[in-house]
Amino acid sequence: MKKLLSLILFILVTVVTYAGGYRVSIQGQRALAMGHTGVAVVNSAELVFFNPAGLVYLESKINVSAGANAVFGQVAFQNELTGISSETDNPVGTPLELYGSYKVNDWMTLGLGVYTPYGSEVVWPTDWAGSHLVNNIELAAIYIQPIVSFKLSDVFSIGGGPIFVTGSVNFNRNLSRTLADIDGNRSNVTLDDSGVSNWGWSIGAMFNPSERLRVGFNYRSEIIIKAEGGEATFSNVPNSPGVPFSNGTTTFDANLPLPAELTVGVSYQLNKKWLFAFDYNRQYWSVYKSLDIDFGNTPTGPDSRNLRNYKNSSVYRFGTQYEATPKITLRAGYYYDETPVRPGFFAPETPRNDSQGFTGGLSFAVTPKLAIDASFLYLRFSEVEASYDYATESNGQFSSFGGTYKSSVFSPGLGVTYKL
């Protein structure tokens, strides 16, 4: 069992580092096809993520849902005044999700989920114009969530449980706009740490006022990932008393918040074929005030302060499902995702602004017990003129870096649903 768990974690760590975006909304093939709605939809074990309270209403004793996506993301940058332009070269990401549930009796169901709601890999050309902010970053956060779901009556249920998070980070940037060694190689630092972990929790509720109408609520707590004693490697640093760094490896400490998230929503079964759903997400990004890095060999020296000052943001999700035939169910959806980034704080390691998600997909019932689920997502970001105005120079003053950013993401996905 330990070998199996280790293998799953290894695979997830490997693939999640290729996911795009700090918040990756790809936690279920059926839900994603419906605009990533699901807090009030009862149709698979994906409820472990979307609303544990709904699991107890699944009819089958055992339910399993698993899937994977391919994420193709790209960011282009241009400063029209200077003529400088760059484009990311991000690898293809393949985030996974795995959920299972077991109905103990008519009023209690147990479940387990492994999923990746946060992750990022952004690769800019080395030494590009914004290299003093980031050259490349890989961030992974894997959630492992056991849950229990209780039916308090035919119309009301609750569910939830603890969440264990394990993560890793690898981040490289140049030390300043111009600092280089005697051969002209730009001075830079690489931060690397893995196995950082912490605990959180989730709770959900579901209310069924009629046979056709469901109302859902789900909350996941904030979790702070604390990297302590990570490895920081300084390279190409000139040997000068005026430079407060030296080549070599030291330790670093840093905290990264994974914000709390509240979701409320409804679903309505119009008739035997049509289902409609709406979810409202509130994401509590205001916890992300600053990315501070404390280097081990500079207890009173030039630690890195990187202001973020994020604000809370909302996502509005719409989805529908149509049972075309006894074997084929079609799905479609749309969502609008507000950016948590304030003007003047647009950092290129997470180049995210307002976006619109267009989704679709289907399920094909191979047998009454086994179905194949397919989904796709096209995420269109608004073209934005933005800057980061708080890069700290060697003299302690702030400098600004900005221009026009244009981003897009396309992600097809495939999964299976099994019930027994």
Side-chain angles (χ1 to χ4, degrees):
M1 187 63 187
K2 288 184 177 179
K3 290 183 177 179
L4 177 59
L5 180 59
S6 298
L7 177 61
I8 293 173
L9 289 175
F10 173 77
I11 293 172
L12 286 172
V13 168
T14 302
V15 299
V16 170
T17 55
Y18 293 99
Y22 189 176
R23 175 68 170 92
V24 184
S25 291
I26 299 177
Q27 275 74 62
Q29 299 302 313
R30 294 189 175 189
L32 179 61
M34 295 177 61
H36 214 248
T37 59
V39 73
V41 178
V42 177
N43 63 5
S44 73
E46 292 176 5
L47 281 159
V48 172
F49 172 82
F50 289 93
N51 188 352
L55 277 179
V56 76
Y57 294 118
L58 290 173
E59 295 180 354
S60 301
K61 193 172 188 64
I62 296 175
N63 294 273
V64 177
S65 294
N69 280 68
V71 179
F72 304 87
Q74 188 177 48
V75 184
F77 166 84
Q78 183 176 39
N79 186 308
E80 295 183 356
L81 295 178
T82 63
I84 296 173
S85 63
S86 295
E87 191 170 297
T88 59
D89 185 21
N90 303 328
V92 178
T94 53
L96 306 177
E97 72 273 350
L98 174 64
Y99 307 107
S101 70
Y102 176 75
K103 184 183 284 291
V104 179
N105 51 46
D106 185 56
W107 54 269
M108 182 172 72
T109 295
L110 303 178
L112 178 67
V114 181
Y115 53 92
T116 56
Y118 296 95
S120 176
E121 180 165 21
V122 179
V123 181
W124 292 97
T126 301
D127 299 335
W128 72 297
S131 60
H132 58 296
L133 299 174
V134 60
N135 276 315
N136 57 73
I137 182 171
E138 296 178 7
L139 168 68
I142 303 166
Y143 279 45
I144 303 171
Q145 180 182 5
I147 66 97
V148 58
S149 179
F150 295 105
K151 182 196 293 184
L152 303 183
S153 73
D154 287 339
V155 298
F156 186 68
S157 63
I158 60 173
I163 299 173
F164 175 74
V165 180
T166 180
S168 63
V169 63
N170 184 280
F171 175 69
N172 175 269
R173 69 173 175 85
N174 290 349
L175 294 179
S176 74
R177 291 173 181 264
T178 57
L179 191 65
D181 66 10
I182 194 172
D183 296 319
N185 300 310
R186 298 286 298 278
S187 306
N188 66 87
V189 59
T190 299
L191 308 178
D192 187 76
D193 200 9
S194 60
V196 291
S197 61
N198 209 337
W199 289 88
W201 53 274
S202 75
I203 188 170
M206 184 170 285
F207 178 54
N208 310 309
S210 73
E211 290 185 356
R212 295 186 174 186
L213 180 64
R214 296 184 190 274
V215 181
F217 158 90
N218 191 53
Y219 179 83
R220 268 183 302 282
S221 72
E222 167 191 310
I223 300 175
I224 305 296
I225 294 292
K226 298 181 179 180
E228 297 178 337
E231 184 178 276
T233 302
F234 292 85
S235 302
N236 307 325
V237 179
N239 185 14
S240 169
V243 179
F245 301 101
S246 58
N247 288 313
T249 300
T250 183
T251 60
F252 80 92
D253 296 338
N255 294 336
L256 183 69
L258 307 178
E261 185 172 305
L262 169 68
T263 305
V264 295
V266 297
S267 70
Y268 186 73
Q269 187 76 47
L270 181 64
N271 51 44
K272 185 177 179 181
K273 291 182 177 294
W274 283 100
L275 172 72
F276 295 91
F278 169 74
D279 281 12
Y280 169 75
N281 293 126
R282 186 64 173 172
Q283 299 173 351
Y284 296 93
W285 284 102
S286 62
V287 66
Y288 194 24
K289 300 294 186 185
S290 178
L291 177 59
D292 298 335
I293 303 169
D294 298 323
F295 296 116
N297 63 352
T298 58
T300 59
D303 292 348
S304 180
R305 309 293 185 196
N306 308 276
L307 297 176
R308 293 295 178 265
N309 199 25
Y310 275 22
K311 62 181 179 181
N312 296 335
S313 62
S314 299
V315 188
Y316 306 88
R317 304 181 183 278
F318 304 86
T320 188
Q321 172 179 291
Y322 176 69
E323 188 175 322
T325 74
K327 282 187 169 292
I328 298 177
T329 300
L330 305 175
R331 301 184 179 90
Y334 166 85
Y335 65 83
Y336 180 76
D337 190 351
E338 297 176 346
T339 179
V341 182
R342 299 177 190 273
F345 292 89
F346 198 92
E349 91 269 7
T350 50
R352 176 185 173 183
N353 51 299
D354 293 342
S355 62
Q356 299 182 76
F358 302 88
T359 71
L362 59 85
S363 289
F364 177 74
V366 181
T367 71
K369 296 180 180 179
L370 178 65
I372 297 174
D373 304 314
S375 71
F376 75 86
L377 163 67
Y378 173 65
L379 195 57
R380 182 180 180 278
F381 293 82
S382 304
E383 184 175 302
V384 62
E385 180 79 19
S387 63
Y388 183 71
D389 301 335
Y390 300 93
T392 305
E393 297 296 324
S394 57
N395 59 6
Q397 300 297 310
F398 289 138
S399 66
S400 179
F401 173 81
T404 300
Y405 290 88
K406 188 175 182 179
S407 311
S408 65
V409 172
F410 176 70
S411 177
L414 198 62
V416 296
T417 297
Y418 179 78
K419 56 186 180 181
L420 182 62

